[in-house]
Amino acid sequence: MPKKLLFILSFLLVLAFLPSPVDAATFTRNVFLQKANTVSFDFRWATDTQEQLVVKYGLTIAYGNQVTSDAEQLINCGNNASFPCTGGNNNHAKISGLAPGTKYYYQVTTVSGTALTAAGDPNHYFKTSPAVGSTTPFTWAIWGDSGVNSTSQNNVAKQVFAKKPDLVMVAGDIAYPYGTSFSGNNTLHFNRYSDATPGQNTMSFSPFYVTCGNHETSCPTVMADHSLPGGGKMTSQISTYSYDYGNVHFVALNSNGSYAYNATTPSASDPQVAWAYNDLKASNQPWKVVYWHHNGWSAGSHSTNTAIVDNLIRMASDAGADLVIWGHSHVYERWNRKAGFYPNVQAYTIGNGGKTGASGCTSTSPGPGCAAKSSSGDSAAGFLFFEVSGDTMTARYITQSGANPDTISLNSSGGDPTSTPGSSPTPTPTPTPTPRPGTPTPTPQTGELPISVCDRANGPFSVNINNPYFPLPVGMVNVLEGGGLKVQVSVLSQTKVIGGVTTRVVEEREWQNGQLIEVSNNWFVQAPNGTVCYYGEDVFDGSGNPIGGAWIAYDDPSHPNFRPGIIMPGNPAVGQRYTQEVAPGVAEDRAQHTALGGSFTTPAGTFNNVLLVNETPPSTKRYAPGVGMIYDDGTTLRSSTLLGGSPMPTPLSFPPGDANGDCAVTIADYVILLNHYGQTIAGGRTVGDFDNNGAVTIADYVILLNHYGQSGCV
């Protein structure tokens, strides 16, 4: 009997005895993050069947660890009167034993391994909070009055996603209404920020901390649908709570109930107000933020609520809060800090996260008067985005189109905020004098570095980049590896003229488990003081198709405000902060130097005087003098031509049907296919999915059969 015919018969015989693939659970509410902690993180979701799921996690998209969701927390909302959640089958998982301030990637699967979230998705990650009191930079966002499923809400959601905040607060009116309707709450809230709407799925990487507004017709349901600080796994919780993240203490209040404040005897205040006063007083954090729903001062859809002013704002001020933020009035308003109006706190109205409106406040009324406000059109909807870096907090109002019409910088030691009017995405400090080429800077500048050093008017610039911590000599090839990911950085002889400046082209290729997944061309130039400037990048998938993240300074007619940023200062020092990418809505990475001088070991060797850089969106990098980047979020330097190493060869091209990567199609590959037959599973070639469509089917068997017996990789 011919070998192939025998092979076919044996396959069909085995197939006949295989169990039919079991339909896996599907999400009825997509996975969302809760309760960021220094050493743990919580996950929530709802499914169509009452089934435990697995959360895989690790420092890279290879994962390597996993937990199974809680069996006792398979809550069927319809059968649990004491737990008023919405949906059929709610579940919870908790990952513990994590490291503070660390980024982890995750994937959710069934117990049998069927993927419910895509393997290797870079937007499925979580970052543990920095140690309490740490000055590690982080970002947060807040808005209110969003849940209407309007164009404005979806536009704001897209801008929030682009900013990738480390955590999110919603100051009430999460949905109009948020009641006991599972589908209604999904449509108006969860689906707007979860995987159901790609490009808006902030919930997949940012924990949401919500509080109730007047349109939360069932606040107990809101609390049961979330796992918020102060509550157990999935137990009903009170709607007043506090939590720390880095060096900020946050307090969430429920302004639907009583909030009377006794300034003479705070302990005699309404219970939640007395608790909040004591909680704020007890915190030693340099930053204290309080948020609730109902507005204090406002000239929007609601006028000033003197009861809020006389009680909650006064309490927050007396207790030492730095910021108070509310919604309810469907506008943006930044209030002046004026004597007689609790000037110790910076107050905001941000009730236009989906609802829209133009404020009628002026510089003198109501109350202390406003310094900035929303108007009709683009600015009628938006959110507040905060960047925390030690004793400085930068607050930006971001509109639904990504414009930034109002920015101020606050200092935890007090004093008036520094305002930056206009739509510039980043405050531009006064530039320092530029040293002559070849002249070292005796004392490194710290704090916020001016990106104006990279402006095309401040040349001459050079494509011969010799910055010690970011050298880019032509022909250099550095290779970093970790967790199945390989990154090859090659400095090409090519140049590209951008905005009249000639830049060096640096190619970066990324492979995951041997498969090319991304290629980018990055454009760098060195300023007269040694600063390496970043002028943009083109980004493609492994097949050469353009993908998100591409931007170019000056030369994009649709984005004439895009500008170059700093990728490495000319004289690096601890405490330096700077913007790396100035492409609002597309790429807005920032960096802070947190350590300099230690040692770090990689497969390429041990390096001294290492520079540690923390970036936002969350990323950790290390640089060594004379070689450049040696660590990037779990990948470490394996070889460098600067160290006498050889470049990584292009990954092998395996023959179709070769599952185990031995460059031959044999019975071993047939066994791998058979073990995964009928499954919807990530892994491509390595699990027998030879047509790479996410499922192992008869089509994959045909590919294996047609190449059975072949050998040889190229």
Side-chain angles (χ1 to χ4, degrees), residues 34-124:
Q34 296 280 269
K35 291 175 72 173
N37 197 286
T38 54
V39 294
S40 66
F41 232 101
D42 286 42
F43 298 74
R44 288 287 299 270
W45 60 77
T47 55
D48 58 343
T49 60
Q50 201 166 31
E51 180 178 343
Q52 286 181 273
L53 300 180
V54 170
V55 181
K56 299 179 179 180
Y57 68 97
L59 295 174
T60 70
I61 53 177
Y63 311 119
N65 306 284
Q66 67 180 49
V67 296
T68 303
S69 61
D70 306 304
E72 78 277 16
Q73 291 288 299
L74 287 168
I75 302 295
N76 188 304
C77 298
N79 299 330
N80 197 306
S82 64
F83 186 74
C85 57
T86 55
N89 302 285
N90 272 247
N91 206 192
H92 165 276
K94 187 181 190 72
I95 299 176
S96 301
L98 303 170
T102 302
K103 183 178 180 179
Y104 297 85
Y105 295 90
Y106 73 92
Q107 181 193 20
V108 181
T109 72
T110 63
V111 174
S112 64
T114 300
L116 297 183
T117 63
D121 186 341
N123 289 320
H124 279 91

Side-chain angles (χ1 to χ4, degrees), residues 469 478 480 489 621-624 627-632 637:
Y469 282 89
N478 285 2
L480 296 93
V489 180
K621 293 180 171 62
R622 289 180 170 89
Y623 298 85
V627 67
M629 188 162 61
I630 60 172
Y631 176 89
D632 183 6
L637 186 69

Side-chain angles (χ1 to χ4, degrees), residues 198-249:
Q200 298 178 200
N201 50 314
T202 305
M203 282 184 169
S204 68
F205 51 78
S206 294
F208 275 50
Y209 296 86
V210 302
T211 190
C212 291
N214 56 295
H215 283 277
E216 272 65 70
T217 56
S218 177
C219 193
T221 298
V222 176
M223 296 298 107
D225 278 354
H226 295 78
S227 294
L228 298 168
K233 295 175 180 176
M234 286 171 56
T235 57
S236 296
Q237 303 156 73
I238 61 172
S239 54
T240 299
Y241 56 91
S242 67
Y243 51 100
D244 289 296
Y245 196 100
N247 62 347
V248 182
H249 184 68

